[in-house]
Amino acid sequence: AVVAFLVLTYGLSLVAGACAFAVGGDETFTSPTALPLLLLTIWSPNVAALAVARAQGRLAELLRGLLRGAPTTAWLAALLPLAIALVLGLRAGVAGSLAPASWALLVGLNLLMGPLGEELGWRGFLLPALKPKLGTVGAALVVGVLWALWHAPLWWLPSPQSSISFPIFFATVICLSVVMT
């Protein structure tokens, strides 16, 4: 199941990402035409998790995991970076120029372009599959490495993330994986 998940995740994201780049070229990350393919790329961990869970007859179990609520402290920790960005934006005079509806749209799009597209796969499917063999910390570290490597093609493209040092990104993603776990 783990191998199937990884093959589907990496394969689907590479094919959809290559098609997005073929359609959008240097403008891939701002092209409305490439957006559906980029969304498929971003959502590939979720698509893979749903497909593998369905093939195993465990789809209902995977989806039930969505209904288990995280503790309030976890939600607060997850929203803290957004609160800090808002405060810094207000202090710099940037955030005040956006209407509340624009902020809501920005937050919603970022959720769709990131956590909602990936986390069912990485933490909802892969992490529980690895925990029995590797333990909690070991599984969190392995998921972090695989998650960071999954993002690596963005450094070969004119993507917004390519301006970040990949080694720093890699280490940050691994640390984030442990914290999220």
Side-chain angles (χ1 to χ4, degrees):
V2 168
V3 171
F5 167 78
L6 292 173
V7 167
L8 281 171
T9 296
Y10 283 84
L12 183 58
S13 63
L14 286 173
V15 169
C19 290
F21 192 70
V23 167
D26 287 343
E27 306 299 319
T28 296
F29 294 93
T30 57
S31 166
T33 309
L35 182 60
L37 293 163
L38 286 175
L39 286 173
L40 180 56
T41 303
I42 293 165
W43 279 69
S44 64
N46 286 1
V47 171
L50 291 168
V52 174
R54 185 170 190 274
Q56 291 181 310
R58 297 179 49 222
L59 183 58
E61 177 186 333
L62 178 65
L63 294 175
R64 267 194 306 275
L66 291 174
L67 301 176
R68 286 192 295 259
T72 304
T73 53
W75 284 106
L76 291 174
L79 294 174
L80 185 61
L82 181 61
I84 291 170
L86 180 59
V87 168
L88 293 174
L90 286 170
R91 290 194 70 195
V94 176
S97 64
L98 287 176
S102 297
W103 274 100
L105 179 63
L106 184 62
V107 169
L109 285 173
N110 275 300
L111 286 172
L112 283 174
M113 297 295 281
L116 293 179
E118 301 177 24
E119 292 312 312
L120 181 66
W122 298 122
R123 253 136 306 272
F125 181 87
L126 186 59
L127 183 69
L130 296 175
K131 276 170 98 172
K133 293 180 182 165
L134 303 175
T136 301
V137 174
L141 291 170
V142 169
V143 169
V145 167
L146 294 169
W147 187 29
L149 290 174
W150 177 72
H151 285 90
L154 292 173
W155 274 260
W156 295 310
L157 301 171
S159 76
Q161 284 176 306
S162 65
S163 63
I164 302 167
S165 162
F166 185 73
I168 290 172
F169 175 84
F170 190 85
T172 301
V173 167
I174 293 170
C175 292
L176 187 57
S177 180
V178 172
V179 169
M180 290 172 73
T181 298

